[in-house]
Amino acid sequence: MRRIALGDHSSLQIEINAVNPAAVPECRFMGSEKVVGALREAMMMNLNSWSSTATLRENLERVLGRPFPPPPAESHQDESPSYDCGICMGFHLDGASPDYVCANPKCGQAFHPKCLQDWLLSVPTTRQNFSFLLGSCPYCKELVNLAVV
Ligand SMILES: [Zn+2]
Ligand SMILES: [Zn+2]
């Protein structure tokens, strides 16, 4: 089921028949008659042109008599390096961001200090020196010198 916003607090809810997805879906117009009236009328008139071989979008565009806006331009955010924690794979952990970054520039993996600390403590080769943990990066084995959280 999808709901398409039509503006002016109006929307079209489309429920696809799971048993027969190519069939005409159940369509419910919701909201102001001023917005949905003409669309509902267009749908009633054009419903017999619904084609089981066209895509849902093509059918809706044809039946409603108007093109849909194109999908939003693809963002290139995915190309930027990830700063998610290399251990829990998240960004926020109890409000903390992964602000320990591996000193090896070829690695540069970010970690939550807490995640890295737990990992270092689980590794038998980690040494503790006063309030610092001396161990190695889980990714590249670069020396890690982490202040105990
Ligand atoms: Zn983490
Ligand atoms: Zn590293």
Side-chain angles (χ1 to χ4, degrees), residues 85-90 93 98 111-112 115:
C85 171
I87 292 169
C88 72
M89 301 300 160
L93 177 80
F111 303 98
H112 293 116
C115 291

Side-chain angles (χ1 to χ4, degrees), residues 48-63:
N48 52 5
S49 67
W50 192 278
S51 155
S52 59
T53 54
T55 66
L56 180 65
R57 182 190 168 119
E58 287 163 359
N59 272 316
L60 284 171
E61 285 182 328
R62 185 183 317 157
V63 167

Side-chain angles (χ1 to χ4, degrees), residues 1 14-26:
M1 187 174 83
I14 299 167
E15 197 172 345
I16 294 176
N17 184 335
V19 179
N20 186 5
V24 178
E26 200 168 304

Side-chain angles (χ1 to χ4, degrees), residues 44-146:
M44 300 279 209
M45 284 181 39
N46 301 328
L47 211 51
N48 52 5
S49 67
W50 192 278
S51 155
S52 59
T53 54
T55 66
L56 180 65
R57 182 190 168 119
E58 287 163 359
N59 272 316
L60 284 171
E61 285 182 328
R62 185 183 317 157
V63 167
L64 295 172
R66 64 196 65 199
F68 285 6
E74 243 172 74
S75 83
H76 293 281
Q77 263 180 347
D78 289 346
E79 288 168 18
S80 65
S82 160
Y83 295 111
D84 287 351
C85 171
I87 292 169
C88 72
M89 301 300 160
F91 189 80
H92 288 294
L93 177 80
D94 301 332
S97 43
D99 51 11
Y100 181 93
V101 177
C102 174
N104 175 359
K106 285 205 189 104
C107 173
Q109 178 62 52
F111 303 98
H112 293 116
K114 181 77 175 75
C115 291
L116 190 53
Q117 176 181 312
D118 289 349
W119 187 85
L120 288 171
L121 289 173
S122 73
V123 176
T125 53
T126 299
R127 285 177 299 132
Q128 186 152 6
N129 185 358
F130 300 105
S131 56
F132 284 90
L133 288 170
L134 298 172
S136 54
C137 170
Y139 279 66
C140 70
K141 308 287 175 217
E142 173 80 16
L143 184 72
V144 166
N145 191 347
L146 181 76

Side-chain angles (χ1 to χ4, degrees), residues 24-42:
V24 178
E26 200 168 304
C27 296
R28 275 181 67 198
F29 289 97
M30 285 173 281
S32 115
E33 199 53 39
K34 173 165 70 74
V35 178
V36 302
L39 288 170
R40 185 189 287 127
E41 223 164 87

